[in-house]
Amino acid sequence: MKYSGGELLLKALKDEGVKFIFGYPGGAALHIYDAIFRQKYVDHILVRHEQGATHAADGYSRATGKPGVVLVTSGPGATNAITGLATAFMDSIPLVVISGQVQSHLIGTDSFQETDMIGVSRPIVKHSYLVQSAEEIPSIVQEAFYIAQTGRPGPVVIDIPKDKTDPLHKYKYKKPAKPYLRSYQPKIKPHPGQIKKAAKAILSSERPVIYAGGGAIYSNAAKELSELNKILKVPVTNTLMGLGVYPAKNKLFLGMLGMHGTYQANMAMHNADLILAVGSRFDDRITNTPSLFAPNAKIIHIDVDPASISKIIKADIPIVGQVKDSLQALIKEIKRSKIKIDTDAIDIWNIQIDKWRKKHGLDHDLYQKKLKSKMIMPQVVVQELYNVTKGNAYVTSDVGQHQMFVAQYYHFNKPRRWINSGGLGTMGFGLPAALGVKLAFPKQEVVCVTGEGSIQMCIQELSTCLQYGLPIKVVNINNEALGMVRQWQDMNYGGRHSASTYQNSLPDFVKLTESYGHVGLKVTKPSNLRKTLEKSFAMKDKLVFIDVLVDPNEHVYPMLVAPNGSMKDMWLSKNKKT
Amino acid sequence: MKRTISILIENKPGALARAVGLFHQRGYNIESLNVAPLTDGTYSRMTVITKGTENVVEQITKQINKLIDVIKVSDLSEGEHHEIELIIFKFIKSKYNTRIQKILRKKKISVIERSDVVTVAIIDENSDFDSLVKSIGKNNIHEIVRSGGVGIHETEKNLNL
Ligand SMILES: Cc1ncc(C[n+]2csc(CCOP(=O)(O)OP(=O)(O)O)c2C)c(N)n1
Ligand SMILES: [Mg+2]
């Protein structure tokens, strides 16, 4: 048998175990689309905008741990995929994005729908390929999947000129040998000497904090993290990307840290004598002013990417390696060590943390309280969502206050359940990501918590959800404003709401949803909230869009004081600072 | 502080653009850049001369190393090294006077004379290009081209595949 380049591509994707391609057709990709039509192993999901394809593949990947696959045409198809590529790049998500390109002989001539995809995407991909001959497609695909998933994961682009997929030219298919790259050998095994040093430092500490991020999730190290802390019994905080890697219900969990982290998490970090950073990267949304960060802490930093270590905060004990392997080694070493952690000191530390929690911790029982406001509080929406879904849903979100409220109030007990754009902060991510998750887990509850601003950036994907029968739930925390922008304007710009409101121009979301063929519900009164959510989730086979009108004056606190603040400097309300 | 970084990189399409682009993306500057393929032609050696503190250079080398096409990176400035540059001046013959010849004779040069112009190639180690040009007089020079610094360890240490 001989195959066209398009067919070779599909065979290679099948060999990688690909189930879904998220894509959108166009001229330069049509040979590939024809090859898709003539096979039955890989399903193509037709989105409504290429940005949606990238986010859907991204959501699929975050939930499953497998790479997400995207197919777009050249020119505008490729450029529309850029936001999704950047989103995946920032959060280290393995995607393989295949873009059609104009025919080889037209490259560089400003031909119709020509964009230099390799050039445009260069700074936001882990690697990229321009296919030079059809025969190399299988080995390139295999290499792309290998690179996307190993080391620090990330998106890989394969740009394929149209003539390389032409059915007029046929080739033999041979499954390529395992990829070997002399220039790329992701270092995996942590250095035993460093593990020894780290164990000793941890066991000699009196005020330690474990600070775990997305890297711990991608490395599937949740089990190891819990196992380690069964021995240590020290406080654990998670980054926005790390939520779920340590069970929120565990009493040693501090909640999220950073910009909108809990009081106890930020105070613990600031006052720690040792910070064990696990697959987290000291992002500026965490550290506040780096020179004021955790002044007395020894830093142990575990990361698979050596470039992440000592980039922002100097690590005293760097450990380069997969988080999973590193934690396993650390557990072994700690068990074997003659030094034992000073449990009295740790008890005192945990008591101190409890005091902080009691003093300014988040109120997780707002939903049970008689509240002054006649309007629904956005925090209560998340609390009720948690109650109704029993904390078991896959929750995606967009970007803004609603996102932070979910991070603060939905208790994630398992990894890969909380799916959001942390690094790039991409509005429009939530709905297509939810679609990707639902395809992966059709029996699971999948909720997109969004805002009326964000949802309008990729709302067209409601149509995709109808086509493929994806009954997700959308909870629109509608504050009739670009809430997070307005919050910053209230804090830093004297309340001047420049371009953060819509002057009564919002669509009727219920009608809009209905016109997409789904169920739309609106809630305005606190007394109807729980009921409406229950009713929505009872409609198992329907996509329900719940438009919840909330109090627009609610802001997200705590909020780190910037500029020139440390992690202990927080706004606790609009007028109250620590 | 001035730093000389040597990079072995696959000789593949786009590889050079990735390495050079990275400097810009991460906000590092490139003072000079030199690149050419080595023995079997499958890879090239680059020398990048940059400025930065210890931390910045550590980041540069780590980030460069992360590029899939990069095989090895070494900050030569960490040890003893040569930084050698090829500088070529072209003079209109009438301006190539004895004063200039005297200055240039102190360097390792090769001279190609024609009836109209004289081209002087200088192999210069740790060159102070600016003061060399100044001493010759900028207006006396018809054309200048530089290779950029090329770095190599001074000792037995090497950067091979
Ligand atoms: C694509 C994109 N554009 C702009 C921003 C800046 N931004 C961050 S939050 C936000 C407001 C989001 O409004 P909404 O979705 O209604 O969420 P809310 O904050 O009101 O909950 C904006 C504009 C962004 N993150 N992404
Ligand atoms: Mg809003």
Side-chain angles (χ1 to χ4, degrees):
Chain A
M1 266 297 265
K2 284 186 150 189
Y3 304 94
S4 70
E7 289 167 330
L8 289 179
L9 175 65
L10 275 127
K11 283 189 87 63
L13 292 175
K14 180 184 160 225
D15 280 350
E16 289 297 329
V18 173
K19 292 216 172 68
F20 299 108
I21 300 175
F22 300 88
Y24 208 93
L30 285 185
H31 294 325
I32 301 173
Y33 272 88
D34 195 51
I36 290 176
F37 192 88
R38 288 184 287 99
Q39 56 83 53
K40 53 180 187 299
Y41 301 102
V42 186
D43 281 336
H44 181 272
I45 305 299
L46 176 68
V47 293
R48 298 298 182 267
H49 186 299
E50 290 86 350
Q51 183 183 350
T54 50
H55 293 333
D58 183 323
Y60 175 88
S61 175
R62 290 181 203 232
T64 61
K66 295 178 193 149
V69 181
V70 176
L71 173 60
V72 296
T73 190
S74 66
T79 55
N80 274 350
I82 291 296
T83 300
L85 269 169
T87 304
F89 183 70
M90 286 295 270
D91 288 343
S92 309
I93 305 302
L95 293 188
V96 174
V97 175
I98 301 156
S99 49
Q101 181 54 276
V102 300
Q103 297 182 60
S104 313
H105 73 274
L106 293 175
I107 290 180
T109 65
D110 303 320
S111 61
F112 178 63
Q113 296 199 324
E114 180 185 359
T115 298
D116 173 11
M117 179 57 164
I118 299 294
V120 170
S121 64
R122 188 180 299 119
I124 49 168
V125 296
K126 185 169 173 189
H127 198 53
S128 51
Y129 297 87
L130 176 63
V131 169
Q132 312 276 348
S133 80
E135 283 164 292
E136 65 179 17
I137 289 174
S139 59
I140 286 181
V141 168
Q142 199 194 45
E143 214 172 278
F145 274 81
Y146 168 65
I147 289 172
Q149 297 176 80
T150 47
R152 180 176 180 172
V156 177
V157 163
I158 307 177
D159 200 30
I160 314 184
K162 187 171 183 181
D163 49 306
K164 308 302 178 208
T165 53
D166 192 332
L168 279 178
H169 306 288
K170 306 248 183 186
Y171 310 87
K172 281 221 175 71
Y173 177 72
K174 210 174 108 233
K175 204 177 166 192
K178 249 186 147 185
Y180 165 79
L181 288 140
R182 66 178 170 187
S183 61
Y184 176 69
Q185 275 133 16
K187 183 184 156 105
I188 306 211
K189 287 279 163 253
H191 191 286
Q194 295 298 92
I195 294 288
K196 270 212 174 79
K197 271 196 223 160
K200 193 170 165 215
I202 293 167
L203 293 172
S204 321
S205 69
E206 297 184 343
R207 297 186 312 281
V209 179
I210 298 177
Y211 146 55
I217 292 186
Y218 307 147
S219 179
N220 297 316
K223 197 180 112 233
E224 285 75 10
L225 188 61
S226 283
E227 197 183 323
L228 173 68
N229 212 32
K230 271 202 195 103
I231 311 171
L232 298 175
K233 299 191 176 60
V234 303
V236 180
T237 180
N238 287 164
T239 66
L240 178 64
M241 298 312 299
L243 292 174
V245 77
Y246 194 76
K249 63 177 177 226
N250 192 308
K251 62 181 194 324
L252 291 165
F253 186 58
L254 300 171
M256 180 173 74
L257 78 166
M259 178 58 76
H260 294 297
T262 64
Y263 179 73
Q264 65 270 19
N266 288 345
M267 289 300 279
M269 288 291 282
H270 187 80
N271 291 287
D273 70 347
L274 179 129
I275 291 172
L276 173 60
V278 183
S280 46
R281 59 184 176 91
F282 297 90
D283 177 271
D284 53 273
R285 281 292 180 272
I286 300 291
T287 58
N288 215 356
T289 313
S291 58
L292 304 177
F293 175 79
N296 301 313
K298 192 174 238 176
I299 309 283
I300 304 171
H301 193 170
I302 303 174
D303 207 295
V304 74
D305 176 11
S308 282
I309 296 178
S310 297
K311 180 173 68 177
I312 314 275
I313 300 293
K314 182 117 190 86
D316 298 291
I317 307 174
I319 299 173
V320 180
Q322 280 290 344
V323 170
K324 195 182 186 77
D325 300 338
S326 306
L327 289 183
Q328 278 170 354
L330 200 54
I331 291 166
K332 236 193 210 158
E333 185 59 37
I334 284 176
K335 279 185 178 161
R336 179 160 67 205
S337 171
K338 279 192 216 81
I339 318 170
K340 297 287 166 228
I341 200 159
D342 179 348
T343 48
D344 291 342
I346 300 296
D347 283 347
I348 295 170
W349 178 227
N350 279 324
I351 288 165
Q352 170 63 59
I353 283 168
D354 259 343
K355 278 189 195 150
W356 283 326
R357 197 192 309 261
K358 288 211 179 76
K359 195 168 165 204
H360 293 304
L362 299 171
D363 182 350
H364 292 288
D365 296 316
L366 284 169
Y367 70 99
Q368 289 177 324
K369 294 192 173 143
K370 193 115 194 75
L371 300 167
K372 271 179 284 172
S373 171
K374 282 207 188 79
M375 300 201 73
I376 298 170
M377 281 174 72
Q379 298 90 328
V380 172
V381 180
V382 177
Q383 292 182 355
E384 290 291 25
L385 179 67
Y386 175 80
N387 294 335
V388 170
T389 57
K390 303 188 179 66
N392 285 324
Y394 284 83
V395 183
T396 74
S397 92
D398 275 297
V399 176
Q401 294 180 320
H402 62 274
Q403 174 192 30
M404 292 301 125
F405 288 135
V406 182
Q408 290 181 332
Y409 293 97
Y410 197 100
H411 314 281
F412 292 95
N413 289 314
K414 290 183 198 151
R416 298 190 183 280
R417 297 280 162 142
W418 164 233
I419 288 165
N420 81 129
S421 164
L424 198 69
T426 309
M427 291 170 68
F429 176 81
L431 176 59
L435 173 175
V437 178
K438 189 71 181 175
L439 272 167
F441 299 111
K443 296 217 177 76
Q444 303 283 326
E445 213 62 88
V446 180
V447 190
C448 165
V449 178
T450 185
E452 78 306 312
S454 296
I455 192 68
Q456 293 188 79
M457 288 211 178
C458 272
I459 198 159
Q460 73 286 347
E461 301 309 331
L462 284 175
S463 177
T464 312
C465 290
L466 188 71
Q467 182 171 356
Y468 297 98
L470 301 170
I472 58 172
K473 304 291 178 273
V474 180
V475 176
N476 186 30
I477 300 190
N478 188 343
N479 52 13
E480 301 190 309
L482 300 173
M484 189 53 93
V485 171
R486 201 174 50 181
Q487 173 162 354
W488 281 68
Q489 290 169 338
D490 283 339
M491 308 298 287
N492 301 331
Y493 298 91
R496 293 181 295 280
H497 296 161
S498 176
S500 55
T501 57
Y502 318 100
Q503 324 295 335
N504 296 320
S505 63
L506 281 173
D508 178 335
F509 285 107
V510 171
K511 281 191 193 151
L512 186 58
T513 309
E514 284 169 358
S515 81
Y516 273 110
H518 304 297
V519 178
L521 299 172
K522 189 172 177 119
V523 194
T524 52
K525 284 201 220 96
S527 56
N528 287 337
L529 176 63
R530 175 76 177 243
K531 275 186 287 192
T532 311
L533 286 173
E534 280 168 351
K535 187 172 140 195
S536 307
F537 281 91
M539 289 186 251
K540 290 273 173 227
D541 54 352
K542 289 269 185 249
L543 185 154
V544 186
F545 187 114
I546 309 128
D547 185 26
V548 189
L549 207 64
V550 299
D551 188 340
N553 297 313
E554 276 305 318
H555 283 350
V556 189
Y557 300 106
M559 181 176 182
L560 289 177
V561 176
N564 305 323
S566 73
M567 282 192 88
K568 73 173 186 332
D569 303 311
M570 288 169 263
W571 290 102
L572 298 169
S573 68
K574 193 168 172 196
N575 315 310
K576 194 171 152 200
K577 262 198 251 191
T578 51
Chain B
M1 206 172 107
K2 187 170 144 180
R3 290 279 170 158
T4 306
I5 298 172
S6 266
I7 303 165
L8 298 187
I9 187 166
E10 294 289 359
N11 203 358
K12 287 183 182 166
L16 182 61
R18 280 182 228 278
V20 175
L22 189 124
F23 276 81
H24 168 71
Q25 285 154 39
R26 301 247 169 213
Y28 316 135
N29 75 318
I30 295 183
E31 247 169 49
S32 84
L33 167 72
N34 176 283
V35 56
L38 296 191
T39 47
D40 64 356
T42 63
Y43 68 100
S44 296
R45 178 156 172 163
M46 295 171 68
T47 305
V48 181
I49 297 183
T50 181
K51 264 194 186 140
T53 60
E54 197 113 354
N55 286 344
V56 169
V57 175
E58 187 182 326
Q59 260 300 302
I60 293 179
T61 52
K62 282 175 170 179
Q63 293 293 353
I64 290 276
N65 235 328
K66 242 167 83 173
L67 292 174
I68 305 294
D69 287 334
V70 166
I71 307 164
K72 279 184 185 170
V73 182
S74 174
D75 174 9
L76 300 184
S77 326
E78 277 177 355
E80 288 169 10
H81 68 286
H82 299 290
E83 187 219 306
I84 298 167
E85 187 179 27
L86 177 67
I87 303 167
I88 305 176
F89 292 132
K90 189 154 75 189
F91 300 94
I92 299 294
K93 188 138 193 184
S94 57
K95 289 197 177 167
Y96 189 59
N97 56 32
T98 49
R99 186 187 65 86
I100 293 175
Q101 288 171 28
K102 214 171 134 196
I103 296 169
L104 288 174
R105 256 203 302 273
K106 285 188 211 132
K107 309 248 165 209
K108 287 177 198 147
I109 56 170
S110 89
V111 182
I112 306 162
E113 291 211 40
R114 282 169 41 119
S115 56
D116 51 348
V117 295
V118 183
T119 302
V120 184
I122 306 156
I123 293 176
D124 212 11
E125 180 155 3
N126 299 321
S127 75
D128 185 351
F129 175 78
D130 291 340
S131 50
L132 180 63
V133 170
K134 211 166 167 194
S135 64
I136 295 171
K138 199 170 146 223
N139 295 334
N140 296 324
I141 307 170
H142 192 58
E143 190 179 1
I144 306 176
V145 56
R146 306 172 66 182
S147 65
V150 178
I152 193 163
H153 290 292
E154 213 175 292
T155 59
E156 266 181 37
K157 224 172 146 187
N158 62 18
L159 186 70
N160 288 345
L161 273 192

